[in-house]
Amino acid sequence: MESAEEVLEGLKEAIIRGNRKGALELLQRSLELKVDPQKIVDDYMIPALNVVGKRFEERKIFIPEMMIAAKSMQACLDVIKPLLPKEEGKKKGVVVIGTVFGDLHDIGKNLVVMLLENSGFEVIDLGVNVPPERFVEEARRVNAQVVGISSLLTTGDPYVKKTVETLRASEIGDRIKIICGGAALTPNFVYSIGADSYAPDAASGVSKIKEILQIDS
Amino acid sequence: MDPYLVTFLPSHITLKAEREETILEISRRAGVDIEGPCGGRGRCGKCKVLVKKSKGISEPSEEERQILKALISSGYRLACQAVLRDETTISIPKAEKCSEVRTNKGIKGGFPKLRPVSFVEWELEESDIKACPSKEEIILRGLKRKGFKREAKVELELLKGLPPLHELLEKRLIFVLLKDGEILKIAKDPIQKIYGIAFDIGTTTIGGYLVDLMEGQVAGSLARPNAQRAFGHDVMSRVSFSMEHPKGLTLLRSSLLECMNKMVEELCDQIDIRPDMICEGVLVGNTVMHHIFLGFPLKDLAHAPYRPLTTKAIRLRAKETGLFLSETGHVNLLPPKAAFLGSDIVAAVLATGIHKRKEPSLLMDIGTNAEIVLGNRERLLCTSAAASPAFEGAHLKCGTWSMPGAIERVEVEGGGQEIRLKTIGGLTPKGICGSGVISALASFLKAGLISKTGRLSHKIPSSRLREGEEGLEILLYKGEGGEEVVITEKEIGEIMLAKGAIKAGIQVLRRHWKGEEISQVTVTGSFGASLGPSDLKEIGLIPLGVADTIKTVENAAGIGACMALLGVRKRKEIERIVSMMEYVELSQDPEFEELLVEGLLLEGA
Ligand code: B1M
């Protein structure tokens, strides 16, 4: 019989390779071997997804493999989350995120959410079609440091602009950091409307957020 | 600021500019053709130009630096980004010009025999005049006498062109043409020929069909690039353009009409007739094109909840729309179903007749968006799935439109040792178009040179497989002058994503359908029809278990439009189809994402 270490390494590899069935089996086996669920998540699952994000950023893997890996991760998270002790610990920061008003795309944004949570951020996901005022209200309510806006449609530009303007004009305007991403946006546009950062993909979204919050790792 | 001159080479067109403007904006005013696929956002790099000399030009933007890299130091700029403020000379690289797109020949495809119009000869009688107080009623009474029981209607416009009654009495001859009780033309001399015209207005290409109404036959056909391409390649960039520029909609509309009127003339020249012999028109197209033609604002097509202004059929005097047909001619805009399901897919349903079959069929128009209909004579489900501009060759490193010189077929032999390429027109390869990429994927898969997750295998000979700027890539062609055509793993990923979205759309419809399995698949649209049915199976676009035979029809929408040209009855049938169609919204579907991830894989599952 293989050691717990082997099973766990296998689990990590299965998530990276997007082998959902394999990952779920190995997760089950690690649980049967009485490995601490927190350890499974912290030392194997999270690093697995980080590898995926990094490989994507480095153009070693592309959208399909990233999405498939994210799905295996999600499937494992669904199993293991109920077993984790209630969260306490200090979060790296609070991020409010959503897809811009008028836009219903959320697959890319969901990936960003997953990677952010993976990296220790608390994420409040407002879903899709989010009006500018909701970003402000929620960011204020949860005392967020960062607002993330996702936009996939060319026609969303005016609303991205309006959202940034509304945030800036609000009472949290001078302290909130704003990051925008999604296939419709260009860095030029994002900076010209007064956002703090632009991210071309999910992994760089996380590193950019760390950058603007001046978090080291 | 002082006015300044801008010269475009090689055409030597010079234009005065009076304020700070981008090269692209000035070129549009000058009528110089620069491609603008992404709508001037600095994303695609296709509007690259060489600035020969300039006394005032903006610094390169971050977008330009990213896209052009080293080319910047040789003077290259993106026309959509570079802002001029003083005298400048610009050279436009000889690129894919709009007019080169593979549209010069007529349109292929069989046409069903259409029902010709009927013909009535009528003599004016004194008794008609005595019995009726107006010219209108005199004509109608005459028709009744001829046996037209149904309430006929006559457009007053038609009567305006007639000679006065006293002359008619002398001549005693009027010819009336009717179809389904509709009067198309009244004349005092025998009518030799009468024509109708059908348009299928696509975002990329416009198809035009001249129909001989007396014979019930297509007499000529033509495809031309949609001139609006200068304002953005996909519909959304055009919608944005209409909202961001004060005259955006007017510009889009006049560019469309200019294009269509030119096509009317070209079609007439083909068979040597005059535009005023065309008395009826039918227009189909995606809903954005429909709105632009009618001058409807596009704001409701720009954001959720996406609702077209109307989904009713519209009949207008041609001359009110700016389309030059006969003075008394009319155009009919067939009804769209939804913001992203235009009258084109509705017309395609009419043409393929899937709404009359007992067994369920799947009909898809594949392009940058895919319109999908699944159903039979009892029920039609439909949806629209976003795909990718990559399907039309845009945004691919070596991508081109399907124009002469574009690689459209790729065959692999000897484990990748030999790659055989087929280009449009048999020319030396200039790039690869969407169908070429799909064909390449299918062949690599068959040869075991690519994994189902889209990864290129190291079994590919090292002379072809290499590390490029964007990751791993495969070299398809290297010319004597060093010009190369490659496909990158990143691009393969993008194509897979688009394919996954379409497949997920099909799967969602199948889940809603629940009934008997699909027994017939028809793929249409100029991109869709250029794909090999076996390639579609190989890459797994069509789910397993669905009909084995895949039929491609190049221009189902155009055929449907021609059918609608020949009678009120067909136009009523179209309205019935629209009301039968049930729209299934994908963005609200909880299973979509899961299905998309499953659907990405390059496998026939
Ligand atoms: C806050 O910080 C950050 C940081 C990084 C961020 C970020 C935020 N957000 C994203 N990122 C970044 O990280 C992610 C991972 O690296 C990346 O996210 P992406 O989202 O880019 O990548 C995802 C992982 C995978 N990508 C995707 O999920 C998008 C794929 C494509 C095919 C696509 C899909 C799947 C869909 N669509 Co839509 N759709 C397309 C897309 C075409 C394409 N090839 O990209 C696009 C975006 N769609 C388009 C259109 C037109 C539409 N779509 C529509 C609908 C849909 C579906 C419902 C079918 C589905 C969405 C399902 C869903 N729940 O999200 C319609 C509108 C719905 C609406 N109101 O939003 C509709 C309007 C039309 C239609 N046919 O129905 C096009 C937009 C064109 C334009 N110029 O604006 C489009 C490019 C396809 C095309 N035709 O060319 C980065 O951008």
Side-chain angles (χ1 to χ4, degrees), chain B residues 203-218:
Chain B
T203 309
T204 313
T205 322
I206 306 179
Y209 307 79
L210 198 55
V211 179
D212 181 330
L213 295 180
M214 283 177 162
E215 303 288 336
Q217 259 171 16
V218 174

Side-chain angles (χ1 to χ4, degrees), chain A residues 20 65 155 157 183 185 188, chain B residues 41 43 63 302 455 594:
Chain A
R20 184 183 340 189
E65 290 186 320
T155 48
D157 284 5
L185 300 173
N188 230 8
Chain B
R41 279 153 200 275
R43 300 191 65 94
E63 280 81 355
R455 199 174 268 263
E594 186 72 42

Side-chain angles (χ1 to χ4, degrees), chain A residues 17 20 55 58-65 67-68 71 101-107 110 129 153-159 182-189 191 198, chain B residues 41-43 61-63 66 81 236-237 239-240 243-244 302-304 306 453 455 469-472 489-490 493-494 496-497 585 587-588 592-594 596-597 600-601:
Chain A
R17 298 224 327 274
R20 184 183 340 189
R55 287 195 184 165
E58 289 168 353
R59 305 196 160 152
K60 296 225 173 69
I61 63 167
F62 298 97
I63 290 176
E65 290 186 320
M67 291 179 75
I68 296 164
K71 277 281 142 201
F101 190 57
D103 191 341
L104 306 173
H105 293 84
D106 65 359
I107 299 173
N110 295 347
N129 199 7
L153 297 169
T154 309
T155 48
D157 284 5
Y159 287 108
L185 300 173
T186 62
N188 230 8
F189 174 74
Y191 293 120
Y198 161 83
Chain B
R41 279 153 200 275
R43 300 191 65 94
S61 66
E62 190 176 335
E63 280 81 355
Q66 264 177 23
Q81 299 288 305
M236 289 317 255
S237 353
V239 171
S240 285
M243 299 192 304
E244 284 163 13
H303 307 281
Y306 299 102
T453 58
R455 199 174 268 263
E469 271 171 31
E470 308 253 87
L472 216 53
E489 268 191 350
K490 179 169 182 254
E494 277 158 26
M496 287 169 70
L497 176 64
E585 175 65 60
S587 39
Q588 250 111 76
F592 184 83
E593 183 175 348
E594 186 72 42
L596 184 144
V597 176
L600 304 162
L601 297 176

Side-chain angles (χ1 to χ4, degrees), chain A residues 4 8 11 27 29-45 80 83-85:
Chain A
L8 289 163
L11 168 64
L27 174 62
R29 230 173 313 150
S30 350
L31 291 172
E32 281 158 17
L33 291 170
K34 300 268 182 295
V35 187
D36 172 21
Q38 193 68 56
K39 184 176 149 75
I40 300 180
V41 174
D42 290 349
D43 296 353
Y44 297 91
M45 289 175 51
I80 207 164
L83 307 177
L84 297 177

